């Protein structure tokens, strides 16, 4: 019996010893697991810290690269000579609120960003690059000598790099450095526009249904056309040649330097002529209405005195010729050239060396577009068929004419032309 108790006590003590040892093992295991977890937690923390250091280094490297880029290619004020065919575009000026209407400036700014000439954020806010166009052009209107001023990074082969990202119907043909305060619109003294049209526009009204290819302009008619265009020379009140402009508005007075129609020529079996007009500045649709009124007189829908009456206080119904043939030919900076062009530091804003490139662009993109569109769509012939609805004898009420002009402007969805 005594031996049995000793045996049981020995077994009990052995069990306690095992339990104690097991507890210690569990404690050691828990401590080991905690240490492992701590090590594993510390590793990601260390990795995140390293990633932050890497990001900071990359940001610093980017800033350094940008600073080096700015130092290598400093931003300077320049003027770009721009040529474009306006077909398919909603004018020159960019409209951030109507991005569905693609403009010439949309294409140009996109190219400037892609070529690295301007920072990307300058493309969203054009004021940051001091961008200014010399003249706005309407929907469908082309240009052979548009000028825009802006600040760009002067990198090597900059013209080629800009053109690389432009469509073929838009091209930068020249670049010149200008003063920091230069503004292409405010520094422009005058603008020259051309208007290419089929000479059928000057045929008598009973010939409107005739073949456009068969018509030929008589020298006597051309002489009369130029006499009427010459009457526009000087300063006149052109409030009837735009929309929503009162006769009392001083800004309606514009100075025309010259206006004439050149000798006719044959293109694609059709006789065309080019009208040239030079003035200090032009209002919305002014040139097209000046041409439209002369055509109405030549065709016999209006008397010659309607031109002089249109400069008076009364509202006169003035037809607006199609925009297809209108081209911004050249812009003039005579005062700037006189002040800075001879100082030995700046170039004269004249593009004699680019004349051949301008001529080649017109012959490749502008003139063919006008001829083909006129042939396919007949915009001039269609417009002439509406001349009979105009009342050239009576002076229209100001409100009626204003509403009519506004409807026409809204239908065209174009931009103003200087």
């Amino acid at each position: 019996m005594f031996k049995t108790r000793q045996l049981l006590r020995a077994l009990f003590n052995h069990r306690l010893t095992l339990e104690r040892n097991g507890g210690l093992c569990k404690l050691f295991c828990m401590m080991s697991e905690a240490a492992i977890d701590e090590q594993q937690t510390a590793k990601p923390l260390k990795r995140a810290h390293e990633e932050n250091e890497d990001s900071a280094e990359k940001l610093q490297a980017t800033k350094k690269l940008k600073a080096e880029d700015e130092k290598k290619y400093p931003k300077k004020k320049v003027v770009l000579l721009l040529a474009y065919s306006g077909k398919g575009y909603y004018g020159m000026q960019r409209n951030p609120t109507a991005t569905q209407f693609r403009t010439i400036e949309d294409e140009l700014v996109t190219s400037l960003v892609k070529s690295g000439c301007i920072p990307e954020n300058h493309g969203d806010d054009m004021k940051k690059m001091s961008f200014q166009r010399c003249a706005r052009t309407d929907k469908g209107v082309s240009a052979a000598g548009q000028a825009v001023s802006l600040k760009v990074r002067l990198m090597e082969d900059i013209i080629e790099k800009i053109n690389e990202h432009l469509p073929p119907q838009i091209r930068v043909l020249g670049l010149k450095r200008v003063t920091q305060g230069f503004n292409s619109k405010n520094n422009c003294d005058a603008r020259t526009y051309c208007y290419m049209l089929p000479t059928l526009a000057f045929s008598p009204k009973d010939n409107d249904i005739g073949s456009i290819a068969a018509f030929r302009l008589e020298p006597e008619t051309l002489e009369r056309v130029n006499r009427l265009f010459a009457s526009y020379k000087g300063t006149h009140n052109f409030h009837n040649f735009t929309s929503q402009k009162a006769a009392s508005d001083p800004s309606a007075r514009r100075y025309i330097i010259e206006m004439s129609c050149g000798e006719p020529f044959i293109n694609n079996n059709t006789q065309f002529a080019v009208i040239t007009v030079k003035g200090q500045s032009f209002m919305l649709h002014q040139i097209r209405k000046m041409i439209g009124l002369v055509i109405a007189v030549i065709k016999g829908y209006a008397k010659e005195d309607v031109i002089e009456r249109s400069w008076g206080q009364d509202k006169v119904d003035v037809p607006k010729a199609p925009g297809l043939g209108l081209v911004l030919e050249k812009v003039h900076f005579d005062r700037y050239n006189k002040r800075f062009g001879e100082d030995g530091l700046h170039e004269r804003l004249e593009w004699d060396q680019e004349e051949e490139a301008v001529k080649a662009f017109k012959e490749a993109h502008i003139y063919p577009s006008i001829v083909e569109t006129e042939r396919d769509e007949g915009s001039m012939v269609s417009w002439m068929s509406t001349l009979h609805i105009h009342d050239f004898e009576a002076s229209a009420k100001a409100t009626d004419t204003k509403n009519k002009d506004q409807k026409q402007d809204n239908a065209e969805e174009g931009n103003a032309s200087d």
Side-chain angles (χ1 to χ4, degrees):
M1 185 69 180
F2 178 76
K3 290 181 179 180
T4 303
R5 287 180 178 175
Q6 285 181 335
L7 181 60
L8 289 172
R9 186 175 293 146
L11 290 171
F12 179 75
N13 291 335
H14 182 67
R15 181 180 177 183
L16 288 175
T17 302
L18 290 175
E19 287 180 353
R20 290 193 193 98
N21 292 337
L24 289 172
C25 289
K26 288 181 179 179
L27 179 61
F28 288 137
C29 289
M30 290 175 63
M31 291 176 64
S32 299
E33 289 176 358
I36 292 171
D37 289 341
E38 186 178 355
Q39 290 177 0
Q40 290 178 346
T41 306
K43 286 182 180 178
L45 290 174
K46 185 178 181 182
R47 195 176 298 119
H49 178 66
E50 290 175 352
E51 288 178 357
N52 289 336
E53 287 183 348
D54 291 342
S55 298
E57 289 177 0
K58 288 181 180 178
L59 181 61
Q60 192 68 24
T62 302
K63 289 182 177 180
K64 184 178 179 181
L65 184 63
K66 183 178 179 181
E68 290 176 354
D69 197 41
E70 292 286 349
K71 187 177 181 180
K72 184 178 180 181
Y73 303 120
K75 289 197 287 287
K76 299 294 182 181
K77 195 69 164 291
V78 302
V79 165
L80 300 180
L81 177 64
L82 190 67
Y84 53 85
S85 170
K87 185 177 181 180
Y89 289 96
Y90 285 80
M92 171 68 181
Q93 189 173 5
R94 198 179 193 190
N95 188 356
T97 61
T99 55
Q100 70 274 25
F101 301 122
R102 196 71 174 167
T103 68
I104 301 297
E105 285 181 9
D106 286 326
E107 300 283 13
L108 179 60
V109 171
T110 300
S111 175
L112 290 170
V113 172
K114 288 183 177 180
S115 61
C117 293
I118 61 172
E120 189 171 353
N121 63 333
H122 286 197
D124 300 325
D125 186 0
M126 298 172 70
K127 290 181 180 179
K128 291 182 178 180
M129 56 175 160
S130 303
F131 186 94
Q132 183 60 61
R133 72 208 60 81
C134 185
R136 291 172 290 178
T137 51
D138 295 343
K139 173 185 175 183
V141 175
S142 301
Q146 173 72 279
V148 297
S149 57
L150 70 161
K151 290 181 180 180
V152 297
R153 294 169 177 156
L154 278 180
M155 55 184 64
E156 294 88 354
D157 302 322
I158 183 171
I159 294 179
E160 290 78 4
K161 290 177 179 178
I162 297 174
N163 286 332
E164 183 180 346
H165 301 283
L166 285 173
Q169 70 186 87
I170 304 175
R171 277 291 175 268
V172 174
L173 301 180
L175 180 149
K176 291 190 177 184
R177 286 279 306 277
V178 289
T179 59
Q180 286 298 311
F182 182 85
N183 182 300
S184 60
K185 181 180 179 181
N186 296 340
N187 287 102
C188 183
D189 303 304
R191 299 156 177 84
T192 297
Y193 283 84
C194 290
Y195 189 88
M196 182 177 175
L197 78 171
T199 56
L200 182 68
F202 298 125
S203 66
K205 57 185 177 182
D206 54 356
N207 279 7
D208 285 354
I209 59 174
S211 171
I212 185 173
F215 181 80
R216 295 294 181 266
L217 184 65
E218 296 293 333
E220 296 79 10
T221 305
L222 179 60
E223 184 179 346
R224 187 184 177 209
V225 166
N226 279 322
R227 179 169 55 81
L228 293 175
F229 279 142
S231 66
Y232 284 123
K233 291 182 181 180
T235 302
H236 302 287
N237 190 335
F238 286 98
H239 70 98
N240 279 309
F241 293 79
T242 187
S243 61
Q244 303 187 61
K245 186 80 69 174
S248 58
D249 191 335
S251 66
R253 296 183 64 81
R254 300 293 166 121
Y255 177 58
I256 305 301
I257 300 170
E258 60 183 47
M259 189 170 188
S260 63
C261 181
E263 291 292 328
F265 58 92
I266 305 297
N267 190 311
N268 199 25
N269 297 323
T270 300
Q271 190 181 60
F272 286 85
V274 175
I275 300 165
T276 303
V277 55
K278 180 180 179 181
Q280 283 185 337
S281 62
F282 300 94
M283 296 179 291
L284 172 66
H285 303 323
Q286 180 184 339
I287 297 173
R288 291 164 61 186
K289 288 201 169 193
M290 291 167 68
I291 294 171
L293 191 57
V294 168
I295 290 175
V297 172
I298 293 295
K299 297 186 76 63
Y301 289 102
K303 296 179 180 178
E304 289 191 13
D305 66 352
V306 69
I307 296 178
E308 190 170 348
R309 282 196 296 112
S310 69
W311 301 327
Q313 296 297 307
D314 294 335
K315 277 287 183 179
V316 175
D317 189 5
V318 179
K320 178 176 59 183
L324 174 63
L326 190 59
V327 179
L328 175 60
E329 185 72 18
K330 189 176 182 181
V331 291
H332 308 267
F333 300 98
D334 297 334
R335 286 178 299 172
Y336 176 86
N337 288 338
K338 185 176 181 180
R339 182 177 179 183
F340 297 104
E342 307 296 339
D343 64 0
L345 299 174
H346 302 91
E347 296 180 90
R348 294 177 63 85
L349 290 182
E350 296 173 345
W351 308 97
D352 297 338
Q353 295 182 355
E354 289 77 15
E355 279 187 4
E356 287 300 319
V358 171
K359 182 180 178 182
F361 184 88
K362 288 192 292 186
E363 293 177 350
H365 297 281
I366 296 179
Y367 293 154
S369 176
I370 294 173
V371 173
E372 291 170 9
T373 305
E374 183 63 47
R375 180 194 63 201
D376 298 338
E377 301 177 8
S379 60
M380 179 59 70
V381 175
S382 298
W383 173 77
M384 289 190 299
S385 67
T386 67
L387 285 174
H388 70 280
I389 68 175
H390 292 269
D391 187 355
F392 298 99
E393 294 299 324
S395 295
K397 293 182 180 180
T399 54
D400 293 342
T401 305
K402 180 178 176 180
N403 292 336
K404 180 178 178 182
D405 287 341
Q406 186 60 46
K407 289 179 181 178
Q408 289 177 339
D409 296 341
N410 292 339
E412 289 192 359
E413 298 177 315
N415 293 308
S417 177
D418 285 343

